[in-house]
């Protein structure tokens, strides 16, 4: 079938909440994607930071096929071995004490929100307790997660949202202190802001917020959905700061394309909810957990975190060269294989041109930031190829040297 026919059918059928790029992808291998016309694309978006191990990972596919033939679902009324395996492995790499599997990142954030609320309830704080979240954050689209997302554009059409959420300026400890009161029960943030434009928390900020939470017996909740699973050059980004959250959310790369997330907790956060407080039908089913379990094995076998550090440093150097060369590139931020380039102009036309003309998949963050979140298994030659294609796109679209 012709590409345009697919697109017409999709636009006819789908609820219109996305403006999609006019490409119909068919299959993938390694760090390359192929569309229905057989064209090959270099992928630096990884399905929004999901495909950490790349496409068509043989060992992972075999593990998933094996589990499909055994058992896909049984509900949380019973135990299953893949969930136990995946849970133990996740606790080991995160140094947390308890895990709950979800179907998405948003639901993992909902879990963090419920932990905070349940914790405040147990402490006997009046029902007007408060949670401090960050401006320009992104935590998901459900009403709870949206309530924590510091973006007026996303929030406004759905107000009123969950009450008691105050927004501080990310990386500004004084702004957190200014919002703090005896009502504050928790602080939530992304360790590295993703959608907001690739801003890593500064060490001063994160350790400062941790200290505030400790002094006031409040919970520190970290959203590691995008920056976690090796992407920052640590298994979880907070591990690079010498602090530990009370609870955290994981998703995206955890299932390498299979929808699975988790929230993890320790200490008082691990005991906040009791039987009957939370649940899910699909969450943690044997199929998705067989995938997550294998992903965690492969991260270890392939030494993904070390690889991210090495290639991340190389990507950093190559992108810095572009910043030197082109006036339209004004800032370069990030960690590991989560980097962003800030443009003087909107990123949309450049990203579209790179996709359609240079066959390079890039995604933007905010209005004028290009986000680099490639599969974690990319090699130096993939970085070189990406830089070549991106430089072409910049010259063709922006004409600024
Ligand atoms: C993607 C993302 C979410 C939402 O995850 P979904 O799987 O889309 O529900 C939440 N927080 C962060 C930081 C994300 O990047």
């Amino acid at each position: 079938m012709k590409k345009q026919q697919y697109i017409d059918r999709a636009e006819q059928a789908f609820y219109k909440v996305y403006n999609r790029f006019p490409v119909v992808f068919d299959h993938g291998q390694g760090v390359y994607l192929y569309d229905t016309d057989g064209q090959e694309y270099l992928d630096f978006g990884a399905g929004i930071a999901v495909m950490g191990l790349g496409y068509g990972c043989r060992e992972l596919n075999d593990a998933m096929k094996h589990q499909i033939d055994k058992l896909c679902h049984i509900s949380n009324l019973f135990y299953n071995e893949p969930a136990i395996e995946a849970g133990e492995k996740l606790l080991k790499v995160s140094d947390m004490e308890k895990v709950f599997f979800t179907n998405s990142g948003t639901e993992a954030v909902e879990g963090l929100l419920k932990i905070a609320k349940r914790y405040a309830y147990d402490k006997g704080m009046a029902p007007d307790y408060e949670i401090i979240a960050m401006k320009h954050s992104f935590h998901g689209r459900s009403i709870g997660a949206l309530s924590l997302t510091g973006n007026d554009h996303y929030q406004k059409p759905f107000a009123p949202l969950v009450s008691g959420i105050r927004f501080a300026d990310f990386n500004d400890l004084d702004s957190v202190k200014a919002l703090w009161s005896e009502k504050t029960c928790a602080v939530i943030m992304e360790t590295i802001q993703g959608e907001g434009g690739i801003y890593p928390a500064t060490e001063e900020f994160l350790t400062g917020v941790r200290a505030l939470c400790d002094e006031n017996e409040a919970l520190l909740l970290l959203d590691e959905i995008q920056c976690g699973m090796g992407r920052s050059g640590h298994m979880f980004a907070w591990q690079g700061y010498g602090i530990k959250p009370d609870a955290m959310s994981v998703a995206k790369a955890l299932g390498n394309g299979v929808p699975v997330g988790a929230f993890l907790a320790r200490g008082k956060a691990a005991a906040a909810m009791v039987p009957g407080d939370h649940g899910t039908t699909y969450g943690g089913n044997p199929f998705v957990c067989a995938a997550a379990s294998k992903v965690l094995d492969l991260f270890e076998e392939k030494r993904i975190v070390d690889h991210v550090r090495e290639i991340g440093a190389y990507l950093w150097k190559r992108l810095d060269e572009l910043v030197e060369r082109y006036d339209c590139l004004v800032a370069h931020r990030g960690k590991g294989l989560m980097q962003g380039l800030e443009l003087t102009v909107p990123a949309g036309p450049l990203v579209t041109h790179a996709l359609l003309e240079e066959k390079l998949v890039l995604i933007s963050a905010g209005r004028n930031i290009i986000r680099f979140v490639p599969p974690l298994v990319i090699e130096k030659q993939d970085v070189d190829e990406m830089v070549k294609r991106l430089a072409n796109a910049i010259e063709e679209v922006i004409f600024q040297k």
Side-chain angles (χ1 to χ4, degrees), residues 293-358:
S293 181
K294 192 67 186 180
V295 165
L296 290 162
D297 287 345
L298 291 169
F299 262 64
E300 203 172 302
E301 277 167 36
K302 294 177 186 283
R303 304 178 62 82
I304 294 289
V305 173
D306 292 339
H307 184 73
V308 168
R309 285 188 195 182
E310 185 194 338
I311 304 295
Y314 187 68
L315 175 64
W316 189 270
K317 173 174 154 272
R318 296 301 325 265
L319 291 182
D320 261 0
E321 288 165 17
L322 290 183
V323 174
E324 286 289 301
R325 185 152 26 123
Y326 298 109
D327 290 345
C328 63
L329 305 177
V330 287
H332 179 198
R333 298 185 288 270
K335 286 194 173 175
L337 285 174
M338 182 171 180
Q339 298 186 29
L341 280 181
E342 189 171 323
L343 310 177
T344 53
V345 293
L350 183 63
V351 165
T352 305
H353 185 91
L355 176 71
L356 300 180
E357 303 303 326
E358 295 296 327

Side-chain angles (χ1 to χ4, degrees), residues 247-263:
M248 58 183 275
S249 53
V250 194
K252 292 202 163 88
L254 176 59
N256 207 67
V258 168
V260 55
F263 63 80

Side-chain angles (χ1 to χ4, degrees), residues 48-50 103-109 137-141 145 190 192-195 223-227 249 251-252 260 338 371:
I48 319 187
V50 167
N103 309 293
S104 67
T106 299
E107 285 170 88
V109 170
S137 59
F138 183 83
H139 297 293
R141 307 295 201 135
E190 295 150 271
I192 304 175
Q193 285 194 336
E195 309 284 327
D223 183 345
E224 289 264 343
I225 291 169
Q226 191 163 153
C227 61
S249 53
K252 292 202 163 88
V260 55
M338 182 171 180
R371 165 167 36 168

Side-chain angles (χ1 to χ4, degrees), residues 125-163:
M125 298 170 87
D128 62 347
Y129 50 76
E130 291 177 350
I131 296 170
I132 297 177
M134 300 298 145
K135 291 178 188 163
H136 306 294
S137 59
F138 183 83
H139 297 293
R141 307 295 201 135
S142 65
I143 296 299
L146 181 60
S147 302
L148 299 167
T149 292
N151 182 319
D152 287 342
H153 178 71
Y154 289 163
Q155 284 198 341
K156 207 171 157 216
F158 303 101
L161 294 167
V162 175
S163 61

Side-chain angles (χ1 to χ4, degrees), residues 136-285:
H136 306 294
S137 59
F138 183 83
H139 297 293
R141 307 295 201 135
S142 65
I143 296 299
L146 181 60
S147 302
L148 299 167
T149 292
N151 182 319
D152 287 342
H153 178 71
Y154 289 163
Q155 284 198 341
K156 207 171 157 216
F158 303 101
L161 294 167
V162 175
S163 61
I165 295 163
R166 317 270 316 259
F167 290 94
D169 291 312
F170 190 61
N171 281 339
D172 179 348
L173 192 57
D174 287 337
S175 83
V176 176
K177 286 181 182 163
L179 294 178
W180 204 284
S181 76
E182 70 283 357
K183 293 184 191 170
T184 308
C185 70
V187 179
I188 183 164
M189 70 174 98
E190 295 150 271
T191 320
I192 304 175
Q193 285 194 336
E195 309 284 327
I198 315 292
Y199 287 93
T202 61
E203 198 159 324
E204 184 201 2
F205 183 66
L206 194 51
T207 52
V209 172
R210 176 70 272 180
L212 269 176
C213 290
D214 287 341
E215 285 156 26
N216 297 282
E217 290 192 350
L219 300 177
L220 175 60
L221 312 171
L222 292 180
D223 183 345
E224 289 264 343
I225 291 169
Q226 191 163 153
C227 61
M229 292 298 295
R231 188 157 290 284
S232 71
H234 292 273
M235 192 60 187
F236 297 103
W238 58 261
Q239 290 166 334
Y241 290 81
I243 58 103
K244 217 166 151 180
D246 298 290
M248 58 183 275
S249 53
V250 194
K252 292 202 163 88
L254 176 59
N256 207 67
V258 168
V260 55
F263 63 80
L264 301 150
R266 68 180 178 98
K268 46 196 194 270
M273 289 197 280
V274 299
D277 277 351
H278 201 54
T280 169
T281 300
Y282 293 136
N285 82 22

